[in-house]
Amino acid sequence: MYRAPSLPRPVSDYDIKLLRIFRTVAECGGFAAAESSLNLTRSTISIHIKSLEQRLGLVLCRRGRQGFMLTEPGQKTYQATLELLSALDHFSHQVQDLDPTLRGDLVLWCSDDLALAPPLNLPATIAELARQEPQLQFALQSATLPEIEQALLNEQAHVGLLPHYRNIDGLLYVPLYREQMYLACGRNHPLFGRDDDSLDDEEIDACDTVHPGVELNEIGRKVLRKMRLTARAYHYETRTALVLSGVYLGFFPRTYLAPYLADGRMRLLKPDSRGYPVQLALAYKAGAREKAKAALLKRMLLSKVTEPAPEGSDSSQ
């Protein structure tokens, strides 16, 4: 039998721990589904939830043949838990802002191969951050464009680096540099040994081509609209595998293609006319709670970025 406390009592650290576990269980939809997220066994999770129910004097969830389900008090407790944990996070960020010393994670999410893009010179930024802010821990992650946008909005990331193809409400964008995307084919493709002068646009458009797996700007959409898009790959590595198969054509920046062009595994097709520009941008959330971290990373990244060197049109390079 559960006994509801007669008077409110202070919320302890242990209560907050149990509420965090309960939130994860509720969002995962059960004990088994929450095991990997919590790194706890099902029996340990069950013990924690039972302890929380006893402390609150409530039955929060039911487990049985019909699966996991929150009770009505459980649903209300879940909503109250979200409000409490959000308030705690807000308090933590406010207190951090009072301390001029930056601590904790500094999170940057990058699109595809941007972490090693020469114009960004990201390694130099990382080195300078390590010298200037030794109490910060740099966290770098590669993700798709929608994932980066969502991470910024949810404040899982302080700054994102991505091709600027649309504006999202709540995010601010700073142009970095423009990069040209070139059409490439692999050594085993039927067009590889043909001179550009012998190729007409209709022949190229009829070839199987890899869609880059994300929305493009208007110029890019216009280029791809005419082509036979029969495969999809967002990351350059997976796109490379498709192109090296000799079955597909695909678009890449020349900086990424350099080793493949140098050893003859790929070549460019009509680089003067078959391609489209991409504007790379730095994005961050307007009014983010940890605005000092975002501002620091933004300032350092902008101080290091350079325009790409002019690119020649020789398809063998």
Side-chain angles (χ1 to χ4, degrees):
M1 173 179 286
Y2 296 107
R3 178 179 60 83
S6 57
L7 291 173
R9 58 181 176 78
V11 178
S12 68
D13 290 343
Y14 182 59
D15 291 326
I16 293 172
K17 174 186 174 181
L18 295 179
L19 288 170
R20 291 188 187 278
I21 293 172
F22 171 63
R23 178 187 63 180
T24 301
V25 170
E27 291 176 350
C28 289
F31 294 1
E35 283 183 300
S36 59
S37 296
L38 293 170
N39 196 26
L40 297 172
T41 64
R42 201 177 316 181
S43 59
T44 301
I45 295 172
S46 179
I47 291 170
H48 285 316
I49 296 300
K50 191 170 294 183
S51 176
L52 179 62
E53 289 178 327
Q54 290 172 343
R55 295 169 78 86
L56 295 177
L58 300 169
V59 177
L60 300 175
C61 53
R62 300 194 186 280
R63 289 89 67 190
R65 294 179 180 176
Q66 296 181 346
F68 174 87
M69 182 180 67
L70 291 180
T71 62
E72 184 177 348
Q75 292 173 351
K76 292 181 178 179
T77 300
Y78 171 68
Q79 293 301 323
T81 298
L82 294 181
E83 294 176 12
L84 172 63
L85 297 180
S86 176
L88 288 172
D89 288 343
H90 182 63
F91 171 80
S92 176
H93 289 304
Q94 283 187 315
V95 171
Q96 282 182 356
D97 286 343
L98 299 176
D99 183 355
T101 304
L102 297 178
R103 297 183 176 86
D105 289 340
L106 183 61
V107 186
L108 173 65
W109 283 37
C110 291
S111 168
D112 206 358
D113 228 45
L114 277 182
L116 293 177
L120 284 175
N121 202 7
L122 186 56
T125 297
I126 295 172
E128 186 174 343
L129 276 167
R131 289 193 300 271
Q132 290 191 14
E133 301 291 343
Q135 297 194 59
L136 282 177
Q137 298 178 15
F138 198 84
L140 180 62
Q141 180 162 330
S142 176
T144 65
L145 272 61
E147 288 170 343
I148 294 172
E149 292 164 343
Q150 198 59 52
L152 292 171
L153 291 172
N154 293 341
E155 301 197 47
Q156 297 172 282
H158 297 104
V159 170
L161 298 175
L162 70 171
H164 189 189
Y165 71 107
R166 66 175 178 178
N167 291 325
I168 297 288
D169 289 343
L171 297 184
L172 300 175
Y173 300 85
V174 180
L176 294 173
Y177 63 92
R178 287 169 70 88
E179 188 169 52
Q180 184 74 7
M181 301 294 286
Y182 293 93
L183 184 61
C185 74
R187 183 164 49 201
N188 296 323
H189 194 278
L191 300 186
F192 187 84
R194 301 266 304 275
D195 292 334
D196 281 347
D197 292 341
S198 71
L199 298 173
D200 57 45
D201 288 337
E202 290 76 14
E203 188 174 11
I204 294 175
D205 290 338
C207 292
D208 291 315
T209 302
V210 184
H211 189 283
V214 70
E215 286 294 327
L216 304 175
N217 55 36
E218 179 55 35
I219 299 176
R221 289 195 297 269
K222 185 177 179 181
V223 169
L224 265 66
R225 198 175 294 138
K226 303 177 296 181
M227 306 190 73
R228 189 167 185 263
L229 305 173
T230 55
R232 180 180 296 266
Y234 170 74
H235 291 289
Y236 290 153
E237 286 184 357
T238 49
R239 202 181 307 171
T240 297
L242 290 167
V243 172
L244 289 178
S245 72
V247 177
Y248 302 96
L249 307 178
F251 289 91
F252 303 88
R254 191 189 288 265
T255 51
Y256 174 83
L257 285 179
Y260 298 96
L261 299 176
D263 64 14
R265 283 179 290 169
M266 288 191 198
R267 61 158 290 197
L268 303 184
L269 297 176
K270 294 194 170 184
D272 290 337
S273 59
R274 303 295 304 206
Y276 57 90
V278 172
Q279 175 67 59
L280 282 304
L282 179 153
Y284 60 100
K285 183 179 179 180
R289 288 176 298 182
E290 293 190 309
K291 53 183 178 292
K293 290 183 178 180
L296 170 66
L297 190 48
K298 170 188 164 187
R299 184 174 67 253
M300 286 195 169
L301 286 166
L302 290 176
S303 71
K304 297 290 187 295
V305 70
T306 59
E307 284 293 330
E311 296 174 339
S313 60
D314 183 357
S315 63
S316 66
Q317 294 182 0

